[in-house]
């Protein structure tokens, strides 16, 4: 059974699966719907995604999808390390525009559960980093959105010089939170 720890923003959890080591390597159960449901986390995943970043300082995000195609995500690192960030975009939430960051690594095997209503992104801390994540709805370009990684209203404290990051043109052109579509209604 994994260790499940609330991270301070409603619905965001760190999951750290147990590793069983022997002289051949290790085994770890990285996902179990019944264990999550027993802990009050009920979700269905429909798609697995995998990203590779060659360089340290590659920043991907802050991405999300709007309803009716909003996505819950379960994110883990399968090689390397990242600084993983979530931002609350639920307009009626007491933590709207607040963020939290956590280091995820292949060595620890920890994961982050990102609920619907949050933007997500990460910064690679090692070369040749691979991130794998499950999502609760299929990718939909019509519902895909992003918020600027360096928005001063959010003020994420990235562990690197933001002027020296590798960022896609698309992410560089993402709107500031004040101009972005967010999740209306109750949190």
């Amino acid at each position: 059974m994994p260790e499940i720890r609330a991270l301070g923003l409603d619905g965001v959890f760190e999951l750290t699966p147990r590793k069983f080591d022997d002289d051949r390597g290790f085994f770890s159960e990285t996902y179990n719907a019944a264990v999550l449901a027993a802990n009050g986390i009920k979700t269905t995943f429909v798609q697995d995604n995998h990203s590779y970043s060659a360089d340290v300082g590659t920043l991907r995000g802050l991405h999300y999808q709007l309803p009716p195609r909003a996505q819950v995500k379960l994110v883990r690192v399968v090689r390397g390390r990242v600084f993983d960030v979530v931002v609350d975009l639920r307009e009626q939430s007491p933590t709207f525009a607040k963020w939290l960051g956590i280091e995820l690594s292949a060595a620890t095997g920890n994961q982050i559960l990102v609920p619907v209503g949050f933007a997500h992104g990460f910064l690679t801390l090692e070369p040749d980093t691979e991130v794998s994540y499950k999502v609760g709805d299929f990718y939909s370009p019509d519902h895909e959105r992003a918020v600027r990684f360096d928005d001063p209203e959010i003020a994420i404290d990235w562990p690197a010089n933001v002027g020296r990051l590798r960022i896609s043109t698309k992410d560089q052109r993402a709107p500031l939170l004040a101009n972005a579509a967010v999740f209306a209604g109750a949190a």
Side-chain angles (χ1 to χ4, degrees):
M1 185 157 174
E3 176 186 335
I4 300 174
R5 181 174 70 101
L7 291 179
L9 294 178
D10 185 37
V12 180
F13 295 93
E14 177 184 24
L15 288 74
T16 306
R18 291 178 51 201
K19 278 188 175 181
F20 301 93
D21 297 291
D22 65 23
D23 60 345
R24 300 167 297 164
F26 74 87
F27 170 82
S28 183
E29 182 179 274
T30 61
Y31 171 72
N32 184 314
V35 170
L36 292 181
N39 284 276
I41 303 167
K42 295 181 177 123
T43 190
T44 301
F45 294 109
V46 299
Q47 181 177 314
D48 281 348
N49 300 323
H50 190 120
S51 76
Y52 167 76
S53 300
D55 298 322
V56 172
T58 300
L59 193 145
R60 298 179 186 269
L62 301 161
H63 304 145
Y64 59 102
Q65 286 188 182
L66 291 173
R69 302 306 296 271
Q71 295 176 319
V72 59
K73 296 178 181 178
L74 181 59
V75 182
R76 69 187 181 106
V77 174
V78 294
R79 181 167 53 162
R81 286 183 311 129
V82 302
F83 181 69
D84 201 274
V85 171
V86 298
V87 179
D88 189 346
L89 297 182
R90 301 167 302 164
E91 198 170 46
Q92 301 302 314
S93 170
T95 57
F96 177 73
K98 301 294 185 215
W99 67 275
L100 68 80
I102 184 171
E103 185 174 299
L104 302 179
S105 73
T108 62
N110 62 332
Q111 304 172 64
I112 188 168
L113 181 75
V114 183
V116 166
F118 286 77
H120 171 259
F122 62 84
L123 174 70
T124 59
L125 302 175
E126 291 184 7
D128 299 317
T129 291
E130 295 184 53
V131 176
S132 177
Y133 54 102
K134 297 181 173 309
V135 293
D137 203 340
F138 299 103
Y139 171 70
S140 173
D142 293 340
H143 298 89
E144 176 187 34
R145 299 294 187 274
V147 174
R148 284 280 300 215
F149 67 95
D150 59 352
D151 186 318
E153 182 180 350
I154 301 169
I156 296 170
D157 186 15
W158 296 101
N161 178 341
V162 293
R164 300 183 53 134
L165 300 177
R166 295 199 54 162
I167 307 168
S168 72
T169 301
K170 184 178 177 179
D171 286 348
Q172 289 177 21
R173 292 182 178 160
L176 296 174
L177 181 59
N179 301 316
V182 295
F183 294 81

